[in-house]
């Protein structure tokens, strides 16, 4: 018998209390947080959809592994377990543990970046772009055109535009391109997958031009599930084999274990090039920790090793992708402009369409994030001109390509009733749209401003 209900393929063994705040309380909390949800305290939040990163519920197997954690400084058995798990999956010979994904990015991109260098990606994630620009290099986003049309269906909106890639190689010269980075799934572009055909083409272009090809692979299990569902020729393959095939096309990867390793902290850099690995390892030891723990405790490394196995369990991946789709579907049927199809780890709302009366210069995504918190205690994240806006020489905002709000779903944390509640909160927001005003930034740092910027509401 086939059932339509996708149940959570786990039982709950330990629970965490949620404090149910009132709207009046949240109004004060939001003002105290300068209208920036990143500045809220977690206890002030009912449903936390700020990120899927480091927020996974660990399994009993992972907790058991934590007890086994070997905290030896050098050569810990927990490192051997993590290294074996990463090598079995990626087949890359040189693996450097890091405390999280951005540390791996920092090691690699400061090494190969620097002034005059160019990086090209389907879309650079914020920490990726920040690390590249911090080195003095330039980061160019090169998403396939269909990735920029929020409402039109395309199976692989995370693809990199290979026509433009060739143009950029001609314009900047292969020798100046430090790396091409394929982010799977494309987080900043809506959690959308890249196809194997696209990864293969990018790989071939890079090979024939002598350019390094790096995967930002932190959601590669989710990406593999989409490939199996949507790309001809993959329906009989396991998601793990699909991921392995994708790793085989690249020269290395950066990986945040806080996503598809189901861990609360951790990451790694994995490379084929010995010379480069040695250079990165030297900096690793100076900045992160010795090369057999890189800023991680033994128990973290155990959790990562086990998580990398569990994430490829097919019943888990089916539940994971379908439960995200469930929220997107529900919102879409209610008339909420949702980036379509749903991403793997998150549902993205097109805030420009939701609040069509708020100009990008007044940050419609920030307005939506604040309303969701105010009305329902839901915390989420703007991925638009607050995160990616730039200023021109006259100090005018150059808006981001899209004004999105991301509802990121932590792995194995919320049940269907939590998700139904989120949809219900949107009902109130839909009725109240005209009354909502945009925001002005009152203070901001030079890099990654969305984390700490302070805002002021316009119009009242
Ligand atoms: N690359 C991608 C595609 C990411 O989504 C992230 C983190 C990183 C790199 C950096 O990894 O956090 O372990 O240092 N994304 C989180 C998010 C923060 O909310 O999407 P990290």
């Amino acid at each position: 018998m086939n059932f339509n209900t996708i149940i959570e393929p786990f039982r709950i063994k330990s629970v965490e209390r949620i404090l149910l705040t009132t709207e009046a309380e949240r109004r004060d909390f939001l003002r105290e947080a300068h209208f920036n949800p990143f500045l809220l305290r977690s206890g002030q939040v009912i449903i936390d959809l700020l990120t899927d990163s480091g927020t996974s519920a660990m399994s009993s197997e992972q907790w058991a592994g934590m007890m086994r954690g070997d905290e030896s400084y050098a050569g810990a058995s927990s490192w051997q377990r993590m290294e074996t798990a990463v090598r079995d999956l990626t087949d890359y010979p040189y693996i450097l543990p890091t405390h999280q994904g951005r540390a791996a990015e920092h090691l690699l991109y400061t090494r190969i970046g620097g002034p005059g260098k160019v990086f090209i990606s389907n879309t650079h994630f914020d920490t990726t772009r920040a690390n590249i620009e911090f080195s003095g290099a330039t980061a160019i986003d090169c998403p396939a055109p269909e990735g920029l049309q929020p409402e039109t269906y395309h199976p692989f909106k995370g693809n990199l535009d290979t026509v433009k890639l060739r143009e950029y190689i001609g314009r900047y010269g292969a020798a100046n391109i430090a790396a091409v980075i394929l982010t799977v799934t494309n987080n900043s572009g809506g959690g959308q997958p890249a196809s194997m055909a696209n990864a293969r083409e990018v790989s071939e272009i890079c090979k024939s031009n002598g350019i390094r090809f790096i995967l930002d692979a932190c959601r590669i299990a989710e990406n593999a599930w989409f490939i199996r569902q949507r790309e001809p020729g993959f329906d009989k393959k396991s998601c793990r084999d699909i991921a392995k095939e994708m790793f085989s096309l690249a020269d290395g990867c950066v990986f945040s274990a806080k996503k598809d390793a189901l861990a609360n902290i951790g990451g790694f850099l994995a490379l084929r090039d010995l010379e480069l690995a040695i250079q990165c390892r030297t900096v690793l030891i100076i900045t992160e920790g010795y090369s057999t723990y890189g800023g991680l405790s033994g128990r973290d490394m155990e959790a990562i090793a086990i998580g990398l196995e569990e994430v490829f369990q097919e019943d888990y991946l089916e539940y994971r992708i379908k439960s995200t789709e469930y929220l997107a579907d529900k919102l879409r049927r209610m008339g909420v402009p949702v980036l379509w199809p749903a991403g793997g780890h998150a549902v993205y709302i097109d805030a420009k369409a939701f609040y069509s009366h708020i100009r990008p210069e007044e940050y419609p995504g920030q307005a939506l994030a604040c309303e969701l918190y105010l009305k329902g205690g839901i915390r989420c994240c703007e991925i638009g001109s607050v995160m990616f806006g730039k200023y021109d020489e006259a100090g005018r905002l150059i808006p981001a390509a899209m004004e999105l709000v991301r509802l990121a779903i932590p792995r194995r944390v919320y049940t269907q009733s939590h998700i139904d509640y989120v949809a219900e909160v949107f009902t109130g927001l839909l009725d109240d749209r005209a009354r909502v005003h945009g925001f002005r930034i009152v203070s901001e740092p030079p890099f990654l401003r969305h984390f700490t910027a302070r805002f002021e509401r316009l119009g009242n």
Side-chain angles (χ1 to χ4, degrees), residues 51 53 100-102 105 125 127 183 187 216 218-219 256 258-259 406:
T51 180
S53 179
Q100 61 183 89
R102 69 198 68 183
E105 293 176 341
F125 182 66
T127 60
T183 306
N187 184 11
D216 181 339
C218 63
R219 298 183 182 87
S256 165
K258 300 171 76 174
K259 286 83 169 174
R406 184 184 73 170

Side-chain angles (χ1 to χ4, degrees), residues 143-160:
E146 51 274 11
L148 298 175
Q149 292 161 5
E151 301 256 19
T152 334
Y153 180 88
H154 187 281
F156 292 106
K157 282 183 162 181
N159 283 349
L160 190 146

Side-chain angles (χ1 to χ4, degrees), residues 38 50-53 99-105 123-128 183-188 216-219 254-259 265-267 345 348 381 383 406 408 451:
F38 277 103
L50 187 65
T51 180
D52 64 318
S53 179
H99 80 275
Q100 61 183 89
R102 69 198 68 183
E105 293 176 341
T123 313
H124 295 84
F125 182 66
D126 60 356
T127 60
T128 317
T183 306
V184 292
T185 56
N186 187 12
N187 184 11
S188 311
D216 181 339
C218 63
R219 298 183 182 87
V254 289
F255 197 108
S256 165
K258 300 171 76 174
K259 286 83 169 174
I265 197 70
H345 68 297
Y348 292 68
C381 172
I383 302 200
R406 184 184 73 170
F451 289 131

Side-chain angles (χ1 to χ4, degrees), residues 119-137:
F119 289 76
I120 298 168
S121 172
N122 44 350
T123 313
H124 295 84
F125 182 66
D126 60 356
T127 60
T128 317
R129 173 174 288 279
N131 270 304
I132 289 168
E133 291 178 350
F134 189 73
S135 83

